[in-house]
Amino acid sequence: MSVGAAYYRQTQGYGVTPAVLETYSSPGLQAIYYTHLGSLLPEPMLLQKPNIVAPDGTQTSYSQNSAGEFHLYGTSAAAPHAAAVAALMLQQNHTLTPDAIYTRMRSTALDMGAPRYDRFTGFGFINGKALLVSG
């Protein structure tokens, strides 16, 4: 699962609907021309990524900026937020498989672009409350 990024203050939790994708989040449907071994594919493979979007820009204990504040931005910050929600889901139900977690994350995500899936935001912004309430 790949994760796009939305600044946490530009999400539904802060009254912004839909959440706003960070400009540096990579668009999906990137063409893959070679196998992992370096062989040319007969035709390019288009990956449907990202799958979901999660928050970035939150406070951390490192990554101090010039103003002395600690914030972390980018998909490198968003992916751990999605992983944290997955961990909470597993804590709630330890029998969940990775596929079940991915499916629930996709089905409960809040649309940010076209309904269901779009190449920029995947299935939308992760909805931790719905994921944990649905048990």
Side-chain angles (χ1 to χ4, degrees):
M1 174 169 276
S2 68
V3 182
Y7 180 53
Y8 80 100
R9 288 188 182 211
Q10 292 184 322
T11 66
Q12 289 85 343
Y14 284 82
V16 179
T17 302
V20 179
L21 186 69
E22 294 279 23
T23 57
Y24 44 74
S25 271
S26 178
L29 295 180
Q30 298 298 312
I32 304 297
Y33 296 96
Y34 295 91
T35 69
H36 68 287
L37 298 175
S39 301
L40 184 63
L41 291 169
E43 61 183 61
M45 179 174 52
L46 294 177
L47 298 180
Q48 287 193 325
K49 304 290 180 180
N51 300 107
I52 58 168
V53 175
D56 77 341
T58 57
Q59 290 187 323
T60 66
S61 59
Y62 74 104
S63 190
Q64 187 173 15
N65 66 19
S66 60
E69 299 169 333
F70 292 86
H71 294 276
L72 184 60
Y73 294 90
T75 55
S76 295
H81 283 91
V85 173
L88 290 171
M89 291 171 67
L90 282 171
Q91 184 177 25
Q92 195 175 51
N93 179 353
H94 70 278
T95 65
L96 289 173
T97 64
D99 284 341
I101 291 170
Y102 297 156
T103 297
R104 284 180 43 191
M105 283 183 168
R106 288 189 299 262
S107 68
T108 60
L110 302 167
D111 283 327
M112 295 173 64
R116 297 291 307 137
Y117 177 87
D118 71 79
R119 68 176 276 202
F120 297 100
T121 64
F123 289 90
F125 191 76
I126 193 168
N127 187 347
K129 185 176 179 180
L131 286 166
L132 296 175
V133 169
S134 63

